[in-house]
Amino acid sequence: SQTIHQWPATLVQPVGSPLSLECTVEGTSNPNLYWYRQAAGRGLQLLFYSVGIGQISSEVPQNLSASRPQDRQFILSSKKLLLSDSGFYLCAWSTRGGGTYNEQFFGPGTRLTVL
Amino acid sequence: RKEVEQDPGPFNVPEGATVAFNCTYSNSASQSFFWYRQDCRKEPKLLMSVYSSGNEDGRFTAQLNRASQYISLLIRDSKLSDSATYLCVVNDRGSTLGRLYFGRGTQLTVWP
């Protein structure tokens, strides 16, 4: 069965510090990968998605970036965090190809607080 | 206009009650529809897919009305453990990526 891991689970960082969040998927190959952010009391905002190694598309211009160095690894980064970067960061995967029923499955998330 | 709109609630119902949520979507070409459940401070989890003919999974029934572009979720015999936020989700038919659009969720609290 497929599993998706994220770490760390919780992170408190000062404004201006760098960020690196990691997501890995097991039990599947060539997945589509996604990074979402959920601010307190808000809906899910798609930040980045990837259909393959080195292929990253950005949905919202901001001070975050993403990379996919391996097929089942997805990394979210920032060089300098802003207060507005606080939120619940979720990684998700789906079967590549966008079939009719392309459910996405989420990792446990990282709760980031920027002070 | 938002891709997916839901009544945020909250819905507060007693155990054993029947409760229904609706959501509307804007892209008439959408082909995939889902309900996800999100517990407080947890990740969203797939509750059920919504099929054109409607489908049932135990106490949960999902319906799709393509003409009116809305989706519903009915929960019968509510349990305390049903308390959560329910997210209505619709795919972007035009994308081979499989992009999904999430509603902001409807909060349900079931009380004893």
Side-chain angles (χ1 to χ4, degrees):
Chain A
S1 64
Q2 300 88 4
T3 56
I4 178 168
H5 304 278
Q6 284 187 248
W7 63 91
T10 306
L11 193 59
V12 180
Q13 293 285 95
V15 169
S17 63
L19 173 74
S20 181
L21 303 180
E22 190 163 342
C23 168
T24 59
V25 182
E26 296 177 358
T28 187
S29 297
N30 306 315
N32 289 335
L33 296 173
Y34 313 82
W35 277 112
Y36 290 87
R37 177 171 61 203
Q38 188 174 38
R42 306 288 296 275
L44 285 166
Q45 178 186 32
L46 180 62
L47 301 175
F48 300 95
Y49 59 88
S50 172
V51 299
I53 296 173
Q55 300 179 60
I56 308 294
S57 296
S58 174
E59 282 291 302
V60 183
Q62 54 202 324
N63 68 320
L64 299 172
S65 62
S67 62
R68 186 170 176 175
Q70 300 180 48
D71 181 48
R72 290 171 288 178
Q73 183 184 28
F74 205 22
I75 297 171
L76 182 70
S77 304
S78 174
K79 293 182 178 178
K80 288 186 177 181
L81 284 169
L82 307 173
L83 287 174
S84 58
D85 291 325
S86 293
F88 190 34
Y89 287 82
L90 291 154
C91 180
W93 73 273
S94 70
T95 302
R96 186 177 297 182
T100 303
Y101 296 106
N102 46 1
E103 303 96 332
Q104 291 180 16
F105 302 94
F106 288 84
T110 295
R111 197 161 298 278
L112 171 67
T113 302
V114 182
L115 302 175
Chain B
R1 182 181 179 184
K2 293 182 181 177
E3 296 288 342
V4 180
E5 299 210 47
Q6 294 181 249
D7 179 350
F11 286 67
N12 297 302
V13 302
E15 270 188 296
T18 296
V19 61
F21 308 137
N22 293 324
C23 91
T24 58
Y25 61 95
S26 61
N27 186 351
S28 61
S30 294
Q31 293 291 327
S32 300
F33 310 90
F34 312 95
W35 284 101
Y36 278 70
R37 170 195 169 124
Q38 186 172 22
D39 292 295
C40 186
R41 301 179 69 82
K42 298 289 187 179
E43 74 275 22
K45 293 185 178 178
L46 180 65
L47 178 65
M48 59 195 303
S49 301
V50 185
Y51 304 135
S52 296
S53 56
N55 48 299
E56 186 175 310
D57 182 2
R59 298 181 293 107
F60 299 84
T61 301
Q63 295 281 347
L64 169 64
N65 184 320
R66 287 189 183 273
S68 301
Q69 292 180 214
Y70 81 77
I71 308 153
S72 65
L73 177 68
L74 182 76
I75 305 175
R76 292 182 300 278
D77 189 23
S78 298
K79 311 292 185 189
L80 295 177
S81 57
D82 293 334
S83 297
T85 297
Y86 291 83
L87 307 176
C88 177
V89 185
V90 176
N91 84 324
D92 177 4
R93 182 62 180 92
S95 169
T96 56
L97 163 73
R99 178 183 178 154
L100 298 179
Y101 292 99
F102 289 78
R104 291 181 62 174
T106 298
Q107 185 180 344
L108 171 66
T109 300
V110 182
W111 45 273

